[in-house]
Amino acid sequence: MGYKILRKKELCPNQYELTVHAPYITKNAKAGQFIILRVSKDGERVPLTIADFDREKGELTIVFMAVGYTTKQLAQLQVGDELTDIVGPLGKPTHIEKYGTVVCLAGGYGAAPCYLISKAFKEAGNKVYMIMGARTKDLIFWQDKMKDACSELFITTDDGTLGTKGFVTGVLEDIMSKEKVDYAIAVGPMPMMRAVANLTRDKGIKTEASMNPIMVDGTGMCGACRVTVGGKVKFACVDGPDFDAHQIDFDEVINRTRIYKDYEKKRSENCNLLKAGESLQK
C-alpha cells in the first residue's frame, strides 16, 4: 500500500509540512506518538512525530527538516507521489490529565509535536502556556495554529528578530516567578530539554521530555534508541518517547546521537548530487 502525498508546504527554509493519506495510522493516533516511514523500498527507516491528523479524512500530517540524506529525498517528493510505507502510530501517547497550569516548550521543529500535545492539555481543562523558540524568525512556524491550541503563546528567538530575545528557558523562568506551574513538557534539541529539566528540578515541577534518539525498528527489538532513565535502560520507541526529564541521563544520549555524524554528513552530500527532478521511487 502506498501513502499518497495530498499536500506539501515549505514552512520555512529546509522545513516542510507533508499531509499524507494514511487512514490506518490516523484511526488510533494520539498526541505524542510517532511514525516511521520509508521514502523508497531500499531506503532507511526515519522516525517522525505525528504533527497533526484528521481521523475522518484519514489524513496524517508530518513536519520535518531536510538536513540528512533521507529527509532531503523526502523534500524532493511532490503532491501525488507516494511514500513506500509508514508504520504507526508508535510509542506511548503523552499522558494527558488536568494538572492546572501546564507549560509546553518547543525548540525548533519541536513545535510540530507540541501542537497536538498543547491542544490535548487545553481540552483537558488546563491553562496552557506554549513557548516556541528558534534561532531566528524565519524558523518559526504554525503561529496561528499554536495560538488556538494554547491559552497563551510566547515566542523566543536567539537573535531577537521575533518575540523575546533569548531562549525558551528565559520565558519559563519568568512564568515560574509569577505563578505556580504544575507540569512542563519539553520537545526539541537535547541541550534545550536538559536546560528545562535543570530549571524545574529544584522547584519540584513534574517535567517530561520527548526523546528523539537514534532509532531503527521502532518496536524495541534493535535497542538503538536506548535511554538511561533513573539508572535503568529504557527504549524511547516503546517505553517513551516521553520520560521524566529529571531522571534522564542527557549526557549519555547526546554523546550517542553524535555516533553517526560523519557518516550522515557524507550521505547528505551524496543526496545534494541528485539531479533535479530525478525520480526517487524506483
Side-chain angles (χ1 to χ4, degrees):
M1 174 182 178
Y3 295 86
K4 183 175 289 187
I5 297 173
L6 304 174
R7 293 183 295 279
K8 177 184 179 181
K9 182 179 181 180
E10 186 170 9
L11 298 172
C12 44
N14 291 325
Q15 195 146 304
Y16 298 86
E17 172 190 314
L18 285 186
T19 299
V20 182
H21 185 248
Y24 293 111
I25 307 295
T26 61
K27 182 179 179 180
N28 298 302
K30 294 182 180 179
Q33 291 184 297
F34 66 96
I35 55 94
I36 289 181
L37 63 79
R38 285 193 305 160
V39 176
S40 57
K41 290 183 179 180
D42 59 349
E44 65 179 333
R45 296 160 60 85
V46 178
L48 292 170
T49 306
I50 295 173
D52 199 1
F53 59 84
D54 186 320
R55 263 191 244 283
E56 221 173 275
K57 296 180 179 179
E59 295 180 356
L60 170 72
T61 298
I62 55 175
V63 172
F64 66 94
M65 185 173 287
V67 292
Y69 182 80
T70 299
T71 48
K72 285 182 178 179
Q73 283 186 316
L74 187 58
Q76 292 184 35
L77 297 180
Q78 302 300 324
V79 172
D81 289 337
E82 294 186 354
L83 301 176
T84 296
D85 54 47
I86 302 178
V87 177
L90 299 171
K92 293 182 178 179
T94 298
H95 177 70
I96 306 296
E97 66 175 84
K98 188 174 180 179
Y99 288 105
T101 298
V102 170
V103 180
C104 294
L105 302 104
Y109 62 85
C114 268
Y115 167 70
L116 284 178
I117 293 171
S118 178
K119 182 180 178 182
F121 274 119
K122 184 180 179 182
E123 290 175 349
N126 294 281
K127 178 180 182 180
V128 182
Y129 290 119
M130 165 67 73
I131 310 173
M132 294 171 60
R135 293 193 308 276
T136 185
K137 67 177 182 179
D138 293 335
L139 299 179
I140 295 290
F141 61 93
W142 279 14
Q143 290 185 60
D144 291 337
K145 285 180 67 114
M146 289 302 184
K147 286 178 182 177
D148 291 337
C150 67
S151 306
E152 189 170 356
L153 173 65
F154 298 90
I155 294 174
T156 70
T157 48
D158 296 0
D159 60 6
T161 50
L162 185 64
T164 302
K165 183 176 182 178
F167 306 123
V168 294
T169 46
V171 176
L172 175 60
E173 282 185 290
D174 186 53
I175 292 173
M176 291 191 301
S177 70
K178 295 177 180 177
E179 62 183 286
K180 181 178 180 292
V181 173
D182 301 292
Y183 172 91
I185 183 166
V187 187
M190 296 290 180
M192 167 269 202
M193 294 192 290
R194 177 174 58 185
V196 169
N198 290 339
L199 271 181
T200 61
R201 182 178 287 106
D202 292 341
K203 292 186 178 294
I205 299 171
K206 179 178 174 62
T207 304
E208 291 187 297
S210 181
M211 302 302 286
N212 56 346
I214 295 168
M215 194 177 291
V216 180
D217 73 288
T219 63
M221 296 295 289
C222 70
C225 67
R226 62 186 180 275
V227 180
T228 300
V229 183
K232 297 180 180 179
V233 174
K234 302 287 184 179
F235 298 128
C237 64
V238 291
D239 299 317
D242 299 343
F243 294 103
D244 183 340
H246 299 151
Q247 298 294 317
I248 297 171
D249 186 339
F250 280 105
D251 291 336
E252 177 188 64
V253 181
I254 290 171
N255 286 334
R256 292 193 70 247
T257 57
R258 294 170 177 165
I259 292 176
Y260 298 106
K261 189 175 180 180
D262 291 340
Y263 174 77
E264 179 58 31
K265 182 179 179 182
K266 290 180 180 178
R267 287 279 290 172
S268 182
E269 289 171 350
N270 288 339
C271 188
N272 289 334
L273 298 177
L274 286 173
K275 296 179 180 178
E278 180 181 350
S279 174
L280 299 173
Q281 303 198 43
K282 295 177 181 179

